[in-house]
Amino acid sequence: FIDFYRPDSTGEYRTPILTGSFRPEENKEYDANNYWLKLADKGEKRAQTFYIRLKSGRNPEYTLQAGTMQTLVRHQRFQDVGAAVFAGIVLVMALYNLFLFFASRSRIYLLYVGYAVSAMLISLAVNNYVFFGQSPWVQAHFV
């Protein structure tokens, strides 16, 4: 859960932005697999204070990054390529071990295929690349 408090033009903190993986996708300010929050408009020079409340059932270590939209998009593309390369390598390993299973009929290769695929899905889901949708049940029980 992410509660983000941004001051309005009068400096008041009225309604927080309620987002996070346990909240509806419609709450996101930007269509990305991370949770991007607008800090200021272009050319805005006044100092502002923002408040953020984070709650998770996972590891209580959170990475927060700030930057321009161009920088965030570039960083997101780099992460997407890294996730795709990781998934590709694991799938090739799984297919190779599936071939070994059919060639040798040794059950250990089939178990390794299941392990590799599930480890890949969990690793990707923890990094917000979820293949099974954003349902609360999947987030709470699978991830």
Side-chain angles (χ1 to χ4, degrees):
F1 297 95
I2 301 172
D3 301 347
F4 181 68
Y5 297 85
R6 175 183 346 173
D8 61 13
S9 59
T10 64
E12 296 291 321
Y13 297 91
R14 301 198 191 280
T15 307
I17 297 166
L18 305 174
T19 188
S21 61
F22 288 104
R23 294 201 170 124
E25 284 288 307
E26 302 84 52
N27 290 14
K28 285 185 170 183
E29 287 193 319
Y30 297 96
D31 186 28
N33 67 328
N34 292 320
Y35 300 95
W36 295 353
L37 299 161
K38 186 176 181 181
L39 298 179
D41 290 320
K42 187 175 182 177
E44 192 170 342
K45 304 265 188 229
R46 68 184 173 105
Q48 299 181 62
T49 302
F50 302 97
Y51 296 99
I52 188 166
R53 181 180 8 203
L54 303 167
K55 179 185 177 200
S56 174
R58 298 183 194 163
N59 186 354
E61 183 176 316
Y62 306 104
T63 302
L64 302 175
Q65 297 175 343
T68 63
M69 284 302 294
Q70 293 85 5
T71 304
L72 291 173
V73 167
R74 192 173 338 124
H75 180 71
Q76 183 64 44
R77 284 187 189 143
F78 181 74
Q79 282 185 318
D80 291 347
V81 168
V85 168
F86 168 71
I89 289 171
V90 172
L91 289 176
V92 167
M93 288 176 15
L95 289 173
Y96 176 69
N97 279 278
L98 196 59
F99 167 76
L100 290 176
F101 166 73
F102 286 122
S104 69
R105 297 289 180 206
S106 178
R107 189 172 149 235
I108 192 72
Y109 294 112
L110 190 60
L111 292 173
Y112 185 75
V113 168
Y115 166 75
V117 171
S118 64
M120 176 195 67
L121 292 174
I122 290 169
S123 296
L124 292 174
V126 166
N127 289 294
N128 293 320
Y129 295 95
V130 181
F131 291 101
F132 305 113
Q134 294 289 336
S135 78
W137 186 89
V138 169
Q139 289 290 324
H141 294 89
F142 179 72
V143 177

